[in-house]
Amino acid sequence: MSLDWNDYRVFLAIARSGTLSEAARLLGLSQPTVGRRLQALEQTLGHALFQRTTDGYVLSNEGEAILCDIERMEEQATAVERKLAGGFSLDGLVRVSTTEWFGVHVLAPIFADVRIRHPNLSIELITETRSVSLTRREADISFRFKEFEEPDVIQIRAIAIEFAVYASHAYLQRNGRPGAGKEPGEATGQGQGHTLVTMDTGFGNLADVPWLLSRLPGAVVGLRANSRDVQAKLCAAGAGIAVLPHQVGVTDPRLVALDLGELPPGRIVWAGVHKDMRRSPRIRALLGATLDALAAQQLAAAPLASIP
């Protein structure tokens, strides 16, 4: 027996309206098409589903017997259509791990938007410097600045992060720009008289630390911190020159991006999820929405190559 759901939709429309013409209007079909579909359904089932009267179409005993079943089929079909259209409600907890500044400046606004669209979804954002274990379920999704080495983790390149050199307006007024003096024609050499704010010794292997020291060898390292946000606050307060992620530097109007001849080395952020969790609807939905938002940010990012 070959059954077509569209024929059942015709059955429901006729049962609810009582006429072929009104059913056709409800379905956006022609009246002859509705009549042919009803005839095909009745032939397939081997029963007359309606009695034809002068007042219209009335359900037969067989039609009455299957009406509730067809209505349940309609509810299920509608639910499937909603899910495929993205209109279904996600619920449950998703735990996400990343570094502090990436969580604060990049993921938090994205997660807030996802939560508005899916109010039954619970998102736990964990910010810390250590790499959590997806295998031990310390997190469901992790965003890292290096590739995952665990064999049971599926990883995706999430976004390329650009860095820039920043100083505050107050610092530049006091010390001048690196490579240019406070007054026209006055030179400061290769960083002489300038102070640097860098990552602490535990993160001295990050590429931006030796890069900044090589660009301004005459400068002194005055402050170190293991947090990009702390670096940004120190820099904005006039403590010195720092290399910051673009997403951090642009958030404080006190900071000015500097041109040292080239941009600091950027970094790639990788998103990882354990292979056993990749089919979870809530994890797939949150990860997909986040990657889409990150891709949009990458396209809309202002080019840093033309820093004044």
Side-chain angles (χ1 to χ4, degrees), residues 47-64:
H47 294 280
L49 301 178
F50 293 94
Q51 296 177 1
R52 282 70 169 172
T53 71
T54 55
D55 294 326
Y57 282 63
V58 179
L59 283 169
S60 65
N61 291 336
E62 292 81 2
E64 288 279 5

Side-chain angles (χ1 to χ4, degrees), residues 136-169:
R136 295 195 298 270
R137 293 296 307 278
E138 293 179 339
D140 299 306
I141 304 171
S142 180
F143 290 88
R144 295 183 187 173
F145 285 80
K146 62 179 181 179
E147 294 188 59
F148 292 77
E149 298 178 352
E150 299 90 329
D152 51 359
V153 170
I154 298 172
Q155 61 181 332
I156 304 168
R157 177 175 165 143
I159 188 173
I161 298 295
E162 288 188 320
F163 286 70
V165 182
Y166 290 91
S168 71
H169 292 281

Side-chain angles (χ1 to χ4, degrees), residues 1-258:
M1 184 182 296
S2 179
L3 301 177
D4 188 334
W5 166 241
N6 288 318
D7 292 340
Y8 285 121
R9 291 178 64 238
V10 166
F11 166 78
L12 288 174
I14 298 173
R16 290 164 178 168
S17 64
T19 66
L20 295 184
S21 59
E22 182 62 15
R25 188 189 67 80
L26 293 173
L27 297 171
L29 301 174
S30 67
Q31 183 171 329
T33 298
V34 170
R36 285 195 302 270
R37 284 195 175 277
L38 173 60
Q39 185 178 15
L41 179 61
E42 289 180 325
Q43 289 177 349
T44 300
L45 296 178
H47 294 280
L49 301 178
F50 293 94
Q51 296 177 1
R52 282 70 169 172
T53 71
T54 55
D55 294 326
Y57 282 63
V58 179
L59 283 169
S60 65
N61 291 336
E62 292 81 2
E64 288 279 5
I66 67 170
L67 177 62
C68 290
D69 296 312
I70 305 306
E71 287 178 333
R72 282 194 293 270
M73 289 173 61
E74 180 185 42
E75 292 174 0
Q76 291 298 315
T78 302
V80 170
E81 291 172 357
R82 282 200 307 268
K83 289 184 178 181
L84 292 178
F88 62 101
S89 175
L90 293 173
D91 55 27
L93 172 66
V94 181
R95 304 179 75 235
V96 183
S97 170
T98 192
T99 59
E100 181 181 6
W101 80 261
F102 193 75
V104 170
H105 297 277
V106 180
L107 294 184
I110 295 174
F111 289 175
D113 180 65
V114 173
R115 184 61 177 67
I116 291 171
R117 288 186 280 120
H118 300 288
N120 293 325
L121 185 65
S122 179
I123 305 172
E124 186 173 301
L125 181 56
I126 308 161
T127 58
E128 52 187 336
T129 55
R130 75 179 183 97
S131 295
V132 302
S133 172
L134 294 174
T135 302
R136 295 195 298 270
R137 293 296 307 278
E138 293 179 339
D140 299 306
I141 304 171
S142 180
F143 290 88
R144 295 183 187 173
F145 285 80
K146 62 179 181 179
E147 294 188 59
F148 292 77
E149 298 178 352
E150 299 90 329
D152 51 359
V153 170
I154 298 172
Q155 61 181 332
I156 304 168
R157 177 175 165 143
I159 188 173
I161 298 295
E162 288 188 320
F163 286 70
V165 182
Y166 290 91
S168 71
H169 292 281
Y171 177 88
L172 295 176
Q173 289 175 357
R174 187 172 66 250
N175 298 280
R177 288 176 177 262
K182 299 178 187 177
E183 302 297 333
E186 179 185 353
T188 61
Q190 295 298 307
Q192 281 83 0
H194 285 280
T195 302
L196 305 181
V197 180
T198 69
M199 296 296 288
D200 70 5
T201 53
F203 292 90
N205 61 333
L206 296 181
D208 62 273
V209 177
W211 179 89
L212 183 59
L213 295 174
S214 69
R215 301 302 294 179
L216 298 173
V220 298
V221 178
L223 297 116
R224 295 184 176 92
N226 67 346
S227 164
R228 296 292 187 185
D229 280 320
V230 172
Q231 280 185 286
K233 292 297 184 183
L234 290 169
C235 187
I241 299 168
V243 173
L244 300 171
H246 178 57
Q247 290 90 337
V248 176
V250 298
T251 60
D252 196 319
R254 295 174 294 174
L255 293 176
V256 179
L258 306 178

